[in-house]
Amino acid sequence: EAARRAVSPGEADLLGWRPFPGVSIPGRTNWRVVRKLGEGGFGEAWLVEQPKSKRKSVYKFCFDPTHLASLKREVTLLRALNDNPAAEGRIAKVLDWSMDTPPHFLELQYYEEGSLVTYVETIGGMIKLTLIRRMEFLAQISEALSIAHQQGILHRDVKPSNILIENDKNGKP
């Protein structure tokens, strides 16, 4: 009871709320944190769910105020891409964001199949990925990057964990 947290100026925002499974998100009490998906240059990605509707999203949290500009830039770029009809089904959709008060986040569409990394692990490794499927993936990734490049956006972090898989209506990735 007598314990007190001592923080220097500027550390309060950094030491504030953090996600963990089962907790609700401040300002978004209808959402519950499910599990951590990964970490990036400016924060952490978490799977979240609305318990009543079972709708899932990905929240990318930024805990370091010095990296908030990177989160804002990502929101701006993704919104510009999402406005392009050619990006439909090729670029992750931005659903919401919060930049005014902590926790700062970007809400993105959740892809049940996960990233290319998890997809390859699920099917039993790269050896199980046929040459035809590899070429199809390469073509789809190239199309998405082309859409970004046509709008003057350079991704700069293309890697298997940033390539998200979504099955079409026939179950084809």
Side-chain angles (χ1 to χ4, degrees):
E1 214 173 276
R4 303 235 188 274
R5 181 190 294 189
V7 293
S8 60
E11 282 186 310
D13 286 341
L14 186 61
L15 296 173
W17 180 88
R18 291 291 190 273
F20 61 90
V23 70
S24 64
I25 301 166
R28 306 280 293 188
T29 54
N30 291 335
W31 290 93
R32 295 280 179 262
V33 175
V34 177
R35 66 182 162 89
K36 187 175 182 177
L37 298 172
E39 293 183 41
F42 61 77
E44 301 173 353
W46 287 78
L47 174 62
V48 299
E49 181 180 58
Q50 287 182 328
K52 288 182 183 178
S53 69
K54 301 296 182 199
R55 189 169 79 96
K56 296 177 181 175
S57 288
V58 173
Y59 276 45
K60 289 178 78 173
F61 292 104
C62 176
F63 303 117
D64 185 343
T66 63
H67 291 129
L68 190 55
S70 296
L71 181 66
K72 289 178 180 179
R73 184 173 31 260
E74 185 166 345
V75 169
T76 302
L77 294 175
L78 281 171
R79 286 186 63 213
L81 288 169
N82 289 169
D83 287 343
N84 182 340
E88 182 67 32
R90 292 179 175 87
I91 306 288
K93 291 181 184 167
V94 173
L95 303 174
D96 200 1
W97 59 89
S98 173
M99 303 296 164
D100 297 329
T101 58
H104 306 291
F105 66 83
L106 160 62
E107 180 187 353
L108 296 165
Q109 177 182 357
Y110 174 65
Y111 294 88
E112 195 72 43
E113 290 78 20
S115 71
L116 184 56
V117 172
T118 54
Y119 175 80
V120 168
E121 289 171 355
T122 301
I123 64 168
M126 282 295 289
I127 195 75
K128 301 285 185 172
L129 197 58
T130 66
L131 179 59
I132 291 171
R133 175 66 70 220
R134 290 177 195 204
M135 297 304 289
E136 288 171 344
F137 279 157
L138 182 60
Q140 292 168 348
I141 294 162
S142 297
E143 287 173 5
L145 288 172
S146 176
I147 291 165
H149 292 170
Q150 288 171 16
Q151 289 188 244
I153 299 168
L154 185 62
H155 191 289
R156 297 185 341 169
D157 195 23
V158 178
K159 58 187 178 186
S161 61
N162 283 343
I163 297 167
L164 303 174
I165 307 294
E166 180 177 44
N167 288 337
D168 65 16
K169 61 185 174 200
N170 300 319
K172 182 180 173 186

